[in-house]
Amino acid sequence: MAGETPPAQPPPGPPPRPLLWRWRHNPLRRRTDALQAWAGLALLIAVLAVAPVAAALVGDAARRHYEDTARHQTLTRYETTATLTRDAPRHPEPGSDEEKRTRYPVEVRVVTRDGRTRTTRTEVQPGLTAGTTVRVWITADGEATGPPLTRKEIRSRTMGWALLAAIGVALTGAAAHALTGLALRRRNLADWDTAWAETAPRWTTPT
């Protein structure tokens, strides 16, 4: 309707900068802008080059470590039959899916390879009664433990360490880029203060 005051509009923001503006020659481009552009490119190339190498080296070291661990576990662990010395607790919801996943720590009796009988604790299904036998993994000393690492577990852990190495390189590059930008911004502010100190007297000194 004629005569109505149009709603207030927000002030325009800074004009969008074109892609790769720091690479283009223009009177307003500062030396630090070009320096930041080259530093960013160098860091990107470094990350792309170093990340795969770091992932490969760390992954190989992790694989060898876990393979050695698995071999040691295979030599020092074995599966045997254990007998419950007391009843396992019963789950409050018998027959539920949660009961099927639940395990309770219970004291069991095992016989080691050298013929010694000893007790240890392992996790069993709920509701098992004393005297029930279960299969458990134990050490040479008769302590309950887990089975040796499988090939799938070794591969999964190796990939995890390799991925962490690559991410670490990328984060290091990002941090270096941020610190470089911060240092250059401080330099720009210092140059601005110096230029203003030289220019301000011309504006404020009466003629």
Side-chain angles (χ1 to χ4, degrees), residues 31-42:
R31 186 167 176 265
T32 53
D33 293 331
L35 182 59
Q36 186 172 2
W38 282 108
L41 178 60

Side-chain angles (χ1 to χ4, degrees), residues 6 17 53 79 100-101 144 167 185 205:
R17 292 175 173 176
V53 176
E79 193 177 20
K100 297 176 183 178
R101 297 190 299 267
I167 293 175
R185 282 193 293 273
T205 303

Side-chain angles (χ1 to χ4, degrees), residues 64 70 74 172 200 207:
R64 288 187 281 107
T74 301
T172 301
T207 56

Side-chain angles (χ1 to χ4, degrees), residues 114-180:
D114 56 7
R116 291 182 297 120
T117 300
R118 61 159 302 169
T119 58
T120 184
R121 294 182 68 84
T122 188
E123 294 186 345
V124 301
Q125 296 175 343
L128 296 182
T129 58
T132 303
T133 58
V134 294
R135 298 292 290 178
V136 297
W137 282 88
I138 62 173
T139 64
D141 294 332
E143 288 289 341
T145 186
L149 291 173
T150 64
R151 298 301 304 178
K152 183 178 180 181
E153 289 172 331
I154 293 174
R155 184 168 56 252
S156 176
R157 296 186 183 189
T158 298
M159 292 178 61
W161 279 107
L163 180 60
L164 284 177
I167 293 175
V169 171
L171 290 178
T172 301
H177 184 266
L179 291 175
T180 301

Side-chain angles (χ1 to χ4, degrees), residues 18-89:
L19 186 63
L20 304 178
W21 66 272
R22 286 190 175 94
W23 300 93
R24 300 182 179 182
H25 293 283
N26 64 81
L28 298 180
R29 191 185 71 167
R30 297 163 295 191
R31 186 167 176 265
T32 53
D33 293 331
L35 182 59
Q36 186 172 2
W38 282 108
L41 178 60
L43 286 171
L44 177 61
I45 294 175
V47 167
L48 294 178
V50 173
V53 176
L57 292 176
V58 172
D60 182 65
R63 177 185 57 78
R64 288 187 281 107
H65 167 74
Y66 288 120
E67 285 179 346
D68 291 342
T69 300
R71 281 192 292 267
H72 180 265
Q73 290 175 344
T74 301
L75 295 174
T76 58
R77 301 178 182 185
Y78 62 96
E79 193 177 20
T80 188
T81 299
T83 304
L84 274 68
T85 61
R86 61 187 62 185
D87 296 346

